[in-house]
Amino acid sequence: AVAAIVIVALIMANRINNQDRFSVSGSGIVYAKADIANLQVGLKTGAKKTAAEATAESTKKMNEIMTELVNLGIEEKAIKTSNYNLYPVYDYTNDRGQELKGYEVSQNVDLKIRDLSKIGDVIAKTTEKGANQIGNINFTIDDEYELKNQARELAIEKAKEKAVLIAKQSGMKLGKITGVNESYNDYRPVVSYSNAKMDMAVGAAEESLIAPSIQAGQNEIRVEVTVTYEIK
């Protein structure tokens, strides 16, 4: 009998906990100008006869690129190697099959640029020094704390407005808020930039390149909330 009473009590408690609840969602969006540009710069050597030759060329050019980045005011702590690969290159013909052509090196560094006015110069100057793989530009905001707070406040306000409207339309009576769940979405547009220094005419590498214009625009900070009410 005692066991039966406990089971019934648990079932009734579970029903009470799960009934008379109403959830509604809301989105809060704020926009702000980015203050950091993230950019990938790198190079890929042509096929060299030996791995040592490919490594030597890559090292020489990358050192020149790194020196140029420091000269442009990019802090060393804002430069991070993200990729380094040395690999064989093969040719294939129907007569001889697969033959070793040589070796190539590809190397990339990720940059964090805080002075957005330097983006074009970084692209142009590193290209002059041998970079032939540049891209994956995206813009971020260094401190998003206050922006997230603003977006959250808007999201909760919209969720409450929606809850009041739905309650009015359906005849429900809202009670107190019993819970709030939040999700955050950081939308960062990625700008593709293709660098084709390897395809430039002979002699053109001696000329200074015109810095491209890269626009940062605005970032969208979005917070989604789900607000749960008791129903009277």
Side-chain angles (χ1 to χ4, degrees), residues 27-43:
S27 298
I29 304 173
V30 297
Y31 296 92
K33 188 173 182 179
D35 53 15
I36 293 177
N38 301 288
L39 172 66
Q40 189 173 81
V41 173
L43 63 87

Side-chain angles (χ1 to χ4, degrees), residues 65-84:
I65 290 171
M66 296 290 285
T67 299
E68 191 63 38
L69 289 172
V70 174
N71 291 339
L72 287 168
I74 308 301
E75 297 178 341
E76 290 187 10
K77 65 181 181 181
I79 305 172
K80 178 181 179 181
T81 299
S82 56
N83 170 64
Y84 186 95

Side-chain angles (χ1 to χ4, degrees), residues 20-22 173-178 228-232:
D20 298 333
R21 295 290 186 270
F22 170 66
K173 290 185 178 181
L174 297 176
K176 66 180 181 180
I177 294 176
T178 61
T228 302
Y229 287 85
E230 283 184 348
I231 300 300
K232 295 180 180 179

Side-chain angles (χ1 to χ4, degrees), residues 220-232:
E220 175 186 294
I221 310 298
R222 178 193 294 265
V223 173
E224 305 274 351
V225 299
T226 300
V227 179
T228 302
Y229 287 85
E230 283 184 348
I231 300 300
K232 295 180 180 179

